[in-house]
Amino acid sequence: MDLGLADRTIVVTGGSSGVGLATVRALLDEGARVATCGRDADRLAKAAAGLGAGSDRLLTGVCDVRDADAVRDFTARTADAFGGIDGLVNNAGQSRMKGLDDSTADDWRDELELKFAGVLNPLQAARPHLAASGAAGVVNINAVLAKQPETRLITTSAARAGILNLSKSLSVELAGDGIRVNSVCLGLVDTGQWTRRHAAADSGLTYEEWQAELAEDRGIALGRLGRAEEVAYAVVALLSPRASYITGTSIDVCGGVGRSIL
Ligand SMILES: NC(=O)c1ccc[n+]([C@@H]2O[C@H](COP(=O)([O-])OP(=O)(O)OC[C@H]3O[C@@H](n4cnc5c(N)ncnc54)[C@H](OP(=O)(O)O)[C@@H]3O)[C@@H](O)[C@H]2O)c1
């Protein structure tokens, strides 16, 4: 099926690793033009080099999504280079493995800032371009934590719930501009986040053994962590103009770890 993404321009935040990188790759495979950002210039350059796309299809920018001015510059550069913007994937970020007693006031502030600025800064910068697209889609990468909080990730769970709520409001507010807004809620997906945690845990287990224990401990129905490209397929489907009547909803890509029926 032709997903109708060829020659459309999509911005993916945090495309130098994991889910963002897999999404950039999947969009390029569909013939889209892609702009992506991250904070670490070397990591971004390495990721871009591995994609093998020319500057007519791939643009990168070093920027932190919490910095509204930097996001505005990166977005303006994208629109200038590619002649508009048709889609936005708010992916950049990470989770915070902390519970109630070890979360400081700074943890709460930083987590809420990252999650909310990570959606609002790119959206506000891209909004006029998305409104001019005629077939615009926004996908917010979220987590099943939004609906199923974990106390060991208390700040992240609360922030995720807020972002799911915000996504619904945005879908209503932006419908008049022809912009659809949806969420993809992840379970545990094998990316840099988990390789870093494996290294920090120093468990003596191989990464594969550690993942198998994790899947068992978290009750993942499919018995394994997800792959980044398994998330990317859902994101690409929601961005496609073929999904023209889908807005204000969320899809879980979680191998059955999510128990919520809502
Ligand atoms: N993997 C999971 O199990 C899982 C589960 C639920 C939700 N998620 C969410 O899925 C998204 C992608 O995570 P991932 O697992 O693919 O992680 P990852 O492999 O660590 O990739 C994160 C990407 O975001 C970029 N990034 C992080 N903070 C940024 C910032 N402030 N400004 C700009 N770029 C930033 C990183 O590059 P730099 O570090 O160079 O900036 C990197 O490109 C995140 O929002 C994460 O919270 C992941």
Side-chain angles (χ1 to χ4, degrees):
M1 184 194 290
D2 177 6
L3 294 179
L5 287 165
D7 294 327
R8 296 196 187 270
T9 297
I10 314 291
V11 173
V12 180
T13 65
S16 58
S17 167
V19 169
L21 179 56
T23 301
V24 171
R25 187 175 285 117
L27 287 165
L28 289 170
D29 286 348
E30 289 299 318
R33 298 187 194 94
V34 185
T36 193
C37 68
R39 294 164 301 174
D40 184 310
D42 286 346
R43 194 139 72 122
L44 194 58
K46 270 191 204 119
L51 290 164
S55 59
D56 56 333
R57 305 220 73 81
L58 179 66
L59 180 152
T60 59
V62 177
C63 88
D64 187 320
V65 289
R66 292 168 296 186
D67 180 342
D69 291 338
V71 171
R72 226 181 348 262
D73 288 350
F74 163 65
T75 307
R77 200 155 63 79
T78 301
D80 282 352
F82 293 154
I85 296 174
D86 305 290
L88 169 64
V89 182
N90 288 315
N91 164 77
Q94 58 191 32
S95 58
R96 194 172 293 258
M97 192 64 94
K98 284 197 169 184
L100 181 63
D101 292 338
D102 56 345
S103 293
T104 63
D106 282 347
D107 284 321
W108 283 100
R109 196 169 32 246
D110 291 350
E111 187 65 4
L112 292 171
E113 185 196 4
L114 174 63
K115 295 296 183 291
F116 282 87
V119 169
L120 291 170
N121 286 341
L123 178 64
Q124 276 161 358
R127 184 175 175 183
H129 306 292
L130 293 169
S133 157
V138 175
V139 175
N140 293 326
I141 300 299
N142 205 320
V144 291
L145 293 176
K147 298 178 272 191
Q148 182 172 293
E150 284 190 28
T151 52
R152 66 190 135 193
L153 287 147
I154 198 164
T155 58
T156 299
S157 295
R160 290 296 190 196
I163 291 300
L164 198 58
N165 183 294
L166 173 67
S167 297
K168 179 64 99 176
S169 296
L170 292 173
S171 70
V172 175
E173 284 283 321
L174 300 178
D177 289 343
I179 304 171
R180 298 177 299 105
V181 182
N182 293 293
S183 303
V184 172
C185 290
L186 278 55
L188 284 69
V189 178
D190 180 11
T191 65
Q193 297 215 27
W194 291 105
T195 49
R196 287 193 294 273
R197 279 181 196 153
H198 170 250
D202 198 17
S203 61
L205 300 175
T206 65
Y207 185 49
E208 289 67 31
E209 290 165 344
W210 185 80
Q211 272 199 36
E213 265 195 7
L214 189 62
E216 169 94 33
D217 175 61
R218 301 294 170 91
I220 301 177
L222 292 183
R224 63 171 176 84
L225 271 65
R227 295 185 293 272
E229 62 270 21
E230 292 177 306
V231 180
Y233 298 140
V235 176
V236 168
L238 286 172
L239 286 172
S240 164
R242 297 226 180 226
S244 51
Y245 204 54
I246 303 178
T247 196
T249 194
S250 73
I251 296 181
D252 291 354
V253 180
C254 68
V257 76
R259 298 289 190 264
S260 165
I261 56 170
L262 297 176

